[in-house]
Amino acid sequence: MKNIILTLICTFCLAGVLSSQESNFSPVKYKKLKKEIKKKRSPYFYPALYQRYVELDTSLSAVEFRYLYYGYTFQSDYSPYGTPALQDSLVSYLTRPELMRAEYEVAARIGGELLHSNPFRLRETFITAVAYEMAGNSRMSGLYFDLYKKQVDAMMSTGDGLSTQAAFSVIYVQDEYELLEVLSFEFSGNQHLLEGGFDMLELKANSAGIDALFFDVSRLLDVGF
């Protein structure tokens, strides 16, 4: 099910990585972003953007979500390392055999609570969307899939991942592996932290002939463990 949905919503992402045509990638300028999200009169004033995220506002533009996602790293509750407290509860529901609709509803609610306290967890956003879909709540599922797609868009807007100069910027380590799945690549098991705050994930043999993808993890390292 996951592969089918990802194919539908992320086809353009894969095309962007594999294309040699000129792209409009833009690395994150964290110092400039930090100043912008603190301005009360800015359209990217963080408290206002974040409230819209909490309310599952589908009118958030791609640019607004980019400020929202990367701007979260300047909030006091941002923690790039560690596991959300509700993650085990969410996983325990979804690993049960032959779940009933009511159980999917519980899992969906847990996912929503998890993202409220630990926002921008890409995998958990996807799981919550799927749980709502399996519970028969297409409206809520659509809202979470919209957040998922816009977060993928934000990360994909920062580069093509083919070099350190065009690395994907992420705010969680797990997002690196999520992007691999989005792009239909498989991790070989070899990972290298490079000078300058870059992470290189080597890939298994693939039809695109890409050996590795690069991720900018400098912000995670700046914040620290």
Side-chain angles (χ1 to χ4, degrees), residues 8-104:
L8 292 175
I9 67 175
C10 298
T11 299
F12 72 97
C13 295
L14 180 58
V17 168
L18 302 182
S19 173
S20 60
Q21 297 178 354
E22 183 177 355
S23 302
N24 295 318
F25 300 132
S26 177
V28 182
K29 298 179 180 178
Y30 281 104
K31 289 183 179 180
K32 182 178 179 180
L33 184 147
K34 181 180 179 181
K35 291 180 180 179
E36 189 65 29
I37 62 175
K38 288 185 175 182
K39 298 177 183 177
K40 291 186 177 181
R41 294 185 179 182
S42 169
Y44 309 118
F45 180 52
Y46 202 82
L49 282 182
Y50 186 72
Q51 184 59 36
R52 292 171 63 190
Y53 170 84
V54 170
E55 295 172 354
L56 308 179
D57 186 353
T58 58
S59 70
L60 282 164
S61 70
V63 175
E64 288 172 332
F65 206 95
R66 180 175 158 120
Y67 276 91
L68 185 60
Y69 175 65
Y70 295 107
Y72 183 59
T73 66
F74 295 102
Q75 310 311 304
S76 60
D77 55 348
Y78 168 62
S79 178
Y81 308 98
T83 303
L86 290 172
Q87 189 176 74
D88 288 343
S89 297
L90 179 61
V91 172
S92 68
Y93 265 93
L94 296 178
T95 53
R96 297 179 182 182
E98 299 181 4
L99 285 181
M100 297 184 294
R101 175 171 290 192
E103 291 176 305
Y104 277 114

Side-chain angles (χ1 to χ4, degrees), residues 191-220:
Q191 180 176 3
H192 309 278
L193 183 61
L194 307 178
E195 186 177 352
F198 298 100
D199 209 5
M200 182 180 75
L201 301 187
E202 294 184 15
L203 308 177
K204 289 185 178 180
N206 55 80
S207 59
I210 297 176
D211 296 324
L213 288 180
F214 297 83
F215 298 86
D216 183 346
V217 295
S218 58
R219 185 67 189 133
L220 285 76

Side-chain angles (χ1 to χ4, degrees), residues 51 176 190 198 209 221:
Q51 184 59 36
E176 300 177 42
N190 295 320
F198 298 100
L221 300 176

